[in-house]
Amino acid sequence: DAGVIQSPRHEVTEMGQEVTLRCKPISGHNSLFWYRQTMMRGLELLIYFNNNVPIDDSGMPEDRFSAKMPNASFSTLKIQPSEPRDSAVYFCASSLSLAGGEETQYFGPGTRLLVL
Amino acid sequence: AQSVTQPDIHITVSEGASLELRCNYSYGATPYLFWYVQSPGQGLQLLLKYFSGDTLVQGIKGFEAEFKRSQSSFNLRKPSVHWSDAAEYFCAVAAGGYQKVTFGTGTKLQVIP
């Protein structure tokens, strides 16, 4: 299995620009998660999708952040406009949600974002 | 709400020595517990998980963890550390429902020759 695929792996942009991060979950998985990792705040859950539907977006920091999952094999996280404090590593994870709740999240390699 | 505490931010061990990384959780019922490892510049890789059953869980790379309900702990152990084990280790807890996972702040492991 190819695992969770994220692109780009690195992104450097200037403040005010739009940034789009992409994720392809593991085939057959029905749940997808976006996380942000920083030194100060650790690993934070931003948003969770189940069967392509956003279930919990309470972790999205503000309206500048948006996420979509148009189909089972693709998701995007968009930041518009970007700010220096958005600099972080963004991880996508996917899992197979089964009745009974036993599931394991598998993480992608992350996108390292630097906003200047 | 569930929470996870990893009391050790940084640990240094000698290669070949034994290792124990501490993890304490807070959750009202039996939680789902995980240990992940993150090498520099990499994503998180699952080492092992506990959902139910035997409280001693075996994972990859020679790691094991023991769930102790009375102590609300899920410590990670390895009998002999290799230099390639140097990484950051995250303990995580999940409740029921959609499995919202809460991660600890991580423990950085340094391995010296």
Side-chain angles (χ1 to χ4, degrees):
Chain A
D1 196 317
V4 176
I5 299 172
Q6 291 186 248
S7 64
R9 293 293 309 276
H10 302 272
E11 177 79 32
V12 181
T13 190
E14 293 185 346
M15 182 175 63
Q17 296 298 306
E18 178 180 295
V19 175
T20 299
L21 311 181
R22 297 172 177 79
C23 175
K24 176 178 170 57
I26 292 173
S27 177
H29 281 187
N30 59 359
S31 294
L32 184 139
F33 307 80
W34 281 101
Y35 290 89
R36 178 173 66 177
Q37 186 180 40
T38 61
M39 289 291 293
M40 292 298 296
R41 301 174 68 91
L43 200 60
E44 304 172 277
L45 176 65
L46 299 178
I47 188 169
Y48 154 69
F49 291 88
N50 182 252
N51 293 323
N52 311 338
V53 176
I55 302 300
D56 183 353
D57 65 354
S58 60
M60 296 287 263
E62 48 196 277
D63 292 345
R64 297 185 296 107
F65 285 70
S66 62
K68 294 182 179 179
M69 192 164 186
N71 57 62
S73 59
F74 184 66
S75 177
T76 60
L77 178 67
K78 186 175 293 186
I79 308 173
Q80 166 63 17
S82 59
E83 296 182 3
R85 60 191 168 119
D86 301 330
S87 298
V89 182
Y90 291 81
F91 288 103
C92 177
S94 71
S95 69
L96 175 60
S97 295
L98 302 170
E102 293 187 9
E103 63 183 78
T104 300
Q105 295 182 25
Y106 295 88
F107 282 74
T111 295
R112 194 171 296 271
L113 173 64
L114 177 61
V115 183
L116 302 174
Chain B
Q2 69 263 28
S3 65
V4 179
T5 301
Q6 293 182 248
D8 303 307
I9 297 173
H10 191 272
I11 282 184
T12 300
V13 299
S14 299
E15 190 169 15
S18 63
L19 171 71
E20 183 168 26
L21 302 182
R22 296 184 290 166
C23 172
N24 292 98
Y25 68 89
S26 174
Y27 180 61
T30 299
Y32 300 144
L33 295 160
F34 309 83
W35 274 100
Y36 285 86
V37 60
Q38 184 180 29
S39 297
Q42 303 296 314
L44 278 72
Q45 180 184 19
L46 180 70
L47 281 176
L48 48 80
K49 60 188 177 185
Y50 172 79
F51 287 155
S52 64
D54 193 345
T55 56
L56 184 61
V57 181
Q58 301 297 320
I60 62 171
K61 304 185 180 186
F63 286 92
E64 66 177 26
E66 187 170 12
F67 170 58
K68 293 185 177 180
R69 185 190 303 276
S70 61
Q71 299 177 17
S72 297
S73 70
F74 189 57
N75 294 349
L76 182 70
R77 301 193 295 250
K78 186 170 185 178
S80 178
V81 171
H82 188 262
W83 62 266
S84 60
D85 294 325
E88 189 159 18
Y89 292 79
F90 292 89
C91 181
V93 62
Y98 76 81
Q99 292 284 310
K100 181 171 182 175
V101 179
T102 301
F103 286 84
T105 51
T107 298
K108 283 190 177 177
L109 173 65
Q110 181 182 8
V111 181
I112 56 177

mmCIF file of all heavy atoms in Angstrom, chain A residues 91-113:
data_model
loop_
_atom_site.group_PDB
_atom_site.id
_atom_site.type_symbol
_atom_site.label_atom_id
_atom_site.label_comp_id
_atom_site.label_asym_id
_atom_site.label_seq_id
_atom_site.Cartn_x
_atom_site.Cartn_y
_atom_site.Cartn_z
ATOM 1 N N PHE A 91 -0.182 17.631 8.874
ATOM 2 C CA PHE A 91 -0.277 16.203 8.613
ATOM 3 C C PHE A 91 -1.699 15.836 8.229
ATOM 4 O O PHE A 91 -2.668 16.355 8.782
ATOM 5 C CB PHE A 91 0.110 15.393 9.848
ATOM 6 C CG PHE A 91 1.570 15.417 10.171
ATOM 7 C CD1 PHE A 91 2.058 16.195 11.200
ATOM 8 C CD2 PHE A 91 2.453 14.635 9.448
ATOM 9 C CE1 PHE A 91 3.409 16.215 11.504
ATOM 10 C CE2 PHE A 91 3.816 14.651 9.739
ATOM 11 C CZ PHE A 91 4.286 15.443 10.763
ATOM 12 N N CYS A 92 -1.781 14.906 7.320
ATOM 13 C CA CYS A 92 -3.045 14.272 6.982
ATOM 14 C C CYS A 92 -2.953 12.828 7.487
ATOM 15 O O CYS A 92 -1.887 12.200 7.403
ATOM 16 C CB CYS A 92 -3.248 14.309 5.476
ATOM 17 S SG CYS A 92 -4.730 13.478 4.889
ATOM 18 N N ALA A 93 -4.045 12.323 8.002
ATOM 19 C CA ALA A 93 -4.100 10.934 8.459
ATOM 20 C C ALA A 93 -5.405 10.333 7.990
ATOM 21 O O ALA A 93 -6.403 11.042 7.807
ATOM 22 C CB ALA A 93 -3.999 10.851 9.985
ATOM 23 N N SER A 94 -5.412 9.028 7.798
ATOM 24 C CA SER A 94 -6.655 8.366 7.424
ATOM 25 C C SER A 94 -6.827 7.100 8.246
ATOM 26 O O SER A 94 -5.864 6.568 8.808
ATOM 27 C CB SER A 94 -6.694 8.056 5.925
ATOM 28 O OG SER A 94 -5.796 7.021 5.576
ATOM 29 N N SER A 95 -8.058 6.649 8.321
ATOM 30 C CA SER A 95 -8.356 5.430 9.064
ATOM 31 C C SER A 95 -9.594 4.775 8.495
ATOM 32 O O SER A 95 -10.362 5.389 7.749
ATOM 33 C CB SER A 95 -8.550 5.747 10.554
ATOM 34 O OG SER A 95 -9.748 6.485 10.761
ATOM 35 N N LEU A 96 -9.779 3.527 8.874
ATOM 36 C CA LEU A 96 -10.982 2.798 8.504
ATOM 37 C C LEU A 96 -11.850 2.743 9.752
ATOM 38 O O LEU A 96 -11.483 2.084 10.734
ATOM 39 C CB LEU A 96 -10.638 1.388 8.025
ATOM 40 C CG LEU A 96 -11.835 0.487 7.714
ATOM 41 C CD1 LEU A 96 -12.693 1.099 6.613
ATOM 42 C CD2 LEU A 96 -11.375 -0.908 7.313
ATOM 43 N N SER A 97 -12.945 3.450 9.730
ATOM 44 C CA SER A 97 -13.848 3.517 10.879
ATOM 45 C C SER A 97 -14.797 2.342 10.832
ATOM 46 O O SER A 97 -15.549 2.162 9.871
ATOM 47 C CB SER A 97 -14.648 4.823 10.847
ATOM 48 O OG SER A 97 -13.801 5.925 10.996
ATOM 49 N N LEU A 98 -14.731 1.534 11.886
ATOM 50 C CA LEU A 98 -15.583 0.359 11.972
ATOM 51 C C LEU A 98 -16.565 0.513 13.117
ATOM 52 O O LEU A 98 -16.302 1.237 14.073
ATOM 53 C CB LEU A 98 -14.736 -0.894 12.195
ATOM 54 C CG LEU A 98 -13.670 -1.204 11.147
ATOM 55 C CD1 LEU A 98 -12.767 -2.323 11.626
ATOM 56 C CD2 LEU A 98 -14.315 -1.545 9.832
ATOM 57 N N ALA A 99 -17.673 -0.194 13.034
ATOM 58 C CA ALA A 99 -18.604 -0.220 14.156
ATOM 59 C C ALA A 99 -17.875 -0.770 15.372
ATOM 60 O O ALA A 99 -17.134 -1.737 15.279
ATOM 61 C CB ALA A 99 -19.804 -1.096 13.815
ATOM 62 N N GLY A 100 -18.061 -0.123 16.509
ATOM 63 C CA GLY A 100 -17.310 -0.536 17.693
ATOM 64 C C GLY A 100 -16.168 0.384 17.989
ATOM 65 O O GLY A 100 -15.610 0.374 19.080
ATOM 66 N N GLY A 101 -15.784 1.186 17.019
ATOM 67 C CA GLY A 101 -14.840 2.269 17.284
ATOM 68 C C GLY A 101 -13.383 1.917 17.246
ATOM 69 O O GLY A 101 -12.543 2.765 17.468
ATOM 70 N N GLU A 102 -13.013 0.674 16.987
ATOM 71 C CA GLU A 102 -11.587 0.362 16.986
ATOM 72 C C GLU A 102 -10.987 0.764 15.650
ATOM 73 O O GLU A 102 -11.266 0.167 14.632
ATOM 74 C CB GLU A 102 -11.370 -1.132 17.217
ATOM 75 C CG GLU A 102 -11.775 -1.599 18.601
ATOM 76 C CD GLU A 102 -11.381 -3.031 18.852
ATOM 77 O OE1 GLU A 102 -10.657 -3.600 18.030
ATOM 78 O OE2 GLU A 102 -11.818 -3.586 19.875
ATOM 79 N N GLU A 103 -10.199 1.793 15.657
ATOM 80 C CA GLU A 103 -9.563 2.207 14.413
ATOM 81 C C GLU A 103 -8.216 2.830 14.721
ATOM 82 O O GLU A 103 -7.983 3.330 15.812
ATOM 83 C CB GLU A 103 -10.450 3.195 13.667
ATOM 84 C CG GLU A 103 -10.702 4.493 14.417
ATOM 85 C CD GLU A 103 -11.639 5.417 13.674
ATOM 86 O OE1 GLU A 103 -12.850 5.180 13.722
ATOM 87 O OE2 GLU A 103 -11.147 6.372 13.056
ATOM 88 N N THR A 104 -7.358 2.780 13.755
ATOM 89 C CA THR A 104 -6.020 3.327 13.889
ATOM 90 C C THR A 104 -5.799 4.336 12.784
ATOM 91 O O THR A 104 -6.123 4.070 11.630
ATOM 92 C CB THR A 104 -4.975 2.208 13.783
ATOM 93 O OG1 THR A 104 -5.195 1.267 14.826
ATOM 94 C CG2 THR A 104 -3.570 2.784 13.889
ATOM 95 N N GLN A 105 -5.252 5.476 13.144
ATOM 96 C CA GLN A 105 -4.950 6.501 12.166
ATOM 97 C C GLN A 105 -3.554 6.294 11.601
ATOM 98 O O GLN A 105 -2.599 6.070 12.346
ATOM 99 C CB GLN A 105 -5.060 7.883 12.806
ATOM 100 C CG GLN A 105 -6.483 8.216 13.240
ATOM 101 C CD GLN A 105 -6.606 9.592 13.830
ATOM 102 O OE1 GLN A 105 -5.815 10.482 13.544
ATOM 103 N NE2 GLN A 105 -7.619 9.795 14.651
ATOM 104 N N TYR A 106 -3.451 6.393 10.299
ATOM 105 C CA TYR A 106 -2.179 6.287 9.598
ATOM 106 C C TYR A 106 -1.839 7.654 9.022
ATOM 107 O O TYR A 106 -2.653 8.244 8.312
ATOM 108 C CB TYR A 106 -2.253 5.219 8.508
ATOM 109 C CG TYR A 106 -2.450 3.838 9.079
ATOM 110 C CD1 TYR A 106 -3.728 3.351 9.325
ATOM 111 C CD2 TYR A 106 -1.356 3.031 9.403
ATOM 112 C CE1 TYR A 106 -3.920 2.094 9.883
ATOM 113 C CE2 TYR A 106 -1.548 1.773 9.952
ATOM 114 C CZ TYR A 106 -2.828 1.316 10.198
ATOM 115 O OH TYR A 106 -3.013 0.086 10.752
ATOM 116 N N PHE A 107 -0.633 8.102 9.314
ATOM 117 C CA PHE A 107 -0.240 9.465 8.989
ATOM 118 C C PHE A 107 0.553 9.537 7.696
ATOM 119 O O PHE A 107 1.351 8.645 7.378
ATOM 120 C CB PHE A 107 0.613 10.050 10.116
ATOM 121 C CG PHE A 107 -0.184 10.492 11.302
ATOM 122 C CD1 PHE A 107 -0.725 9.565 12.176
ATOM 123 C CD2 PHE A 107 -0.411 11.842 11.547
ATOM 124 C CE1 PHE A 107 -1.470 9.972 13.269
ATOM 125 C CE2 PHE A 107 -1.155 12.250 12.637
ATOM 126 C CZ PHE A 107 -1.683 11.314 13.496
ATOM 127 N N GLY A 108 0.363 10.638 6.988
ATOM 128 C CA GLY A 108 1.209 10.959 5.863
ATOM 129 C C GLY A 108 2.511 11.587 6.331
ATOM 130 O O GLY A 108 2.695 11.825 7.529
ATOM 131 N N PRO A 109 3.420 11.886 5.404
ATOM 132 C CA PRO A 109 4.728 12.432 5.761
ATOM 133 C C PRO A 109 4.687 13.899 6.156
ATOM 134 O O PRO A 109 5.653 14.413 6.704
ATOM 135 C CB PRO A 109 5.547 12.240 4.476
ATOM 136 C CG PRO A 109 4.525 12.274 3.394
ATOM 137 C CD PRO A 109 3.302 11.642 3.960
ATOM 138 N N GLY A 110 3.576 14.559 5.898
ATOM 139 C CA GLY A 110 3.440 15.963 6.295
ATOM 140 C C GLY A 110 3.861 16.941 5.217
ATOM 141 O O GLY A 110 4.633 16.614 4.310
ATOM 142 N N THR A 111 3.321 18.150 5.339
ATOM 143 C CA THR A 111 3.743 19.283 4.513
ATOM 144 C C THR A 111 4.317 20.337 5.447
ATOM 145 O O THR A 111 3.636 20.794 6.363
ATOM 146 C CB THR A 111 2.556 19.891 3.740
ATOM 147 O OG1 THR A 111 2.056 18.954 2.808
ATOM 148 C CG2 THR A 111 2.995 21.168 3.020
ATOM 149 N N ARG A 112 5.552 20.684 5.192
ATOM 150 C CA ARG A 112 6.209 21.707 6.021
ATOM 151 C C ARG A 112 5.967 23.061 5.379
ATOM 152 O O ARG A 112 6.452 23.332 4.286
ATOM 153 C CB ARG A 112 7.704 21.406 6.117
ATOM 154 C CG ARG A 112 8.440 22.186 7.194
ATOM 155 C CD ARG A 112 9.866 21.637 7.347
ATOM 156 N NE ARG A 112 9.858 20.250 7.806
ATOM 157 C CZ ARG A 112 9.859 19.894 9.078
ATOM 158 N NH1 ARG A 112 9.863 20.821 10.032
ATOM 159 N NH2 ARG A 112 9.880 18.621 9.411
ATOM 160 N N LEU A 113 5.192 23.907 6.038
ATOM 161 C CA LEU A 113 4.796 25.209 5.502
ATOM 162 C C LEU A 113 5.538 26.323 6.210
ATOM 163 O O LEU A 113 5.568 26.380 7.437
ATOM 164 C CB LEU A 113 3.292 25.421 5.669
ATOM 165 C CG LEU A 113 2.744 26.803 5.299
ATOM 166 C CD1 LEU A 113 2.929 27.071 3.815
ATOM 167 C CD2 LEU A 113 1.284 26.938 5.696
#
